[in-house]
Amino acid sequence: MIASGQLFKILNFWVHLVSAFIWIGGVLFSSLILLPAAQKFLHKDVRGEFLRHVHTRFQKFSGACVFLLRVTGVINIHFAKQYRGALTGLYFSALMLKILFFTILLTFYLLHIKELGNKKPIAHFPYQEATLVLGVLIILMAAVLKHS
């Protein structure tokens, strides 16, 4: 049987992964499927309102995911420190890079929220490419953390 402390660690890690999948998965979907299809099949007049509607709806989910990633990430660091003792070497470097990439990503997210406040139709999602690249780098750092 799983002890309650172990169950909490598992659930925390699961929430962290699901939040990352939803956020980065949404960015991948937007970049690779939604935007190209909207540009190809929707008239310019309709496209901007459509993209604003879709994006506003996704922002509700992504905002929750960003919050959960922040909270569960701090808890994961606490558990890693308990398990490993001092966080040094490759693990520490990968963790610091992951935190740096997340901080930059969070900055883009907040700038993006501010930009969406102007209520104009949108032709593209601001910071989309940078968000995608940073998301992939964060997942790479997560793999390094898992296997170092």
Side-chain angles (χ1 to χ4, degrees):
M1 184 158 197
I2 298 175
S4 62
Q6 189 66 18
L7 182 61
F8 180 73
K9 287 180 189 179
I10 292 168
L11 288 175
N12 184 74
F13 187 69
W14 180 79
V15 169
H16 194 76
L17 287 177
V18 169
S19 297
F21 291 153
I22 290 170
W23 192 17
I24 301 304
V27 172
L28 275 167
F29 174 78
S30 295
S31 297
L32 301 177
I33 297 167
L34 181 65
L35 284 173
Q39 290 170 345
K40 184 173 182 177
F41 295 108
L42 294 178
H43 189 269
K44 190 176 181 178
D45 298 337
V46 177
R47 183 180 343 151
E49 268 314 304
F50 171 76
L51 290 175
R52 173 169 290 291
H53 176 74
V54 169
H55 199 61
T56 300
R57 189 174 174 132
F58 179 67
Q59 285 305 311
K60 294 173 186 171
F61 291 102
S62 64
C65 290
V66 168
F67 174 76
L68 288 171
L69 284 167
R70 173 79 170 94
V71 171
T72 58
V74 169
I75 294 169
N76 284 337
I77 292 169
H78 169 73
F79 287 141
K81 192 166 192 275
Q82 274 185 333
Y83 177 74
R84 294 175 169 273
L87 302 176
T88 59
L90 179 60
Y91 190 92
F92 180 77
S93 298
L95 180 60
M96 290 300 105
L97 282 172
K98 186 177 178 187
I99 291 170
L100 174 66
F101 295 152
F102 181 78
T103 303
I104 295 168
L105 199 63
L106 183 59
T107 302
F108 286 152
Y109 175 78
L110 294 173
L111 289 170
H112 181 75
I113 295 287
K114 182 181 177 193
E115 192 168 313
L116 285 177
N118 67 23
K119 302 292 184 196
K120 295 178 187 171
I122 53 177
H124 70 286
F125 299 141
Y127 313 106
Q128 183 85 16
E129 295 82 11
T131 298
L132 185 57
V133 169
L134 286 166
V136 169
L137 289 172
I138 289 170
I139 293 169
L140 174 63
M141 291 303 104
V144 172
L145 290 173
K146 184 70 177 164
H147 296 286
S148 63

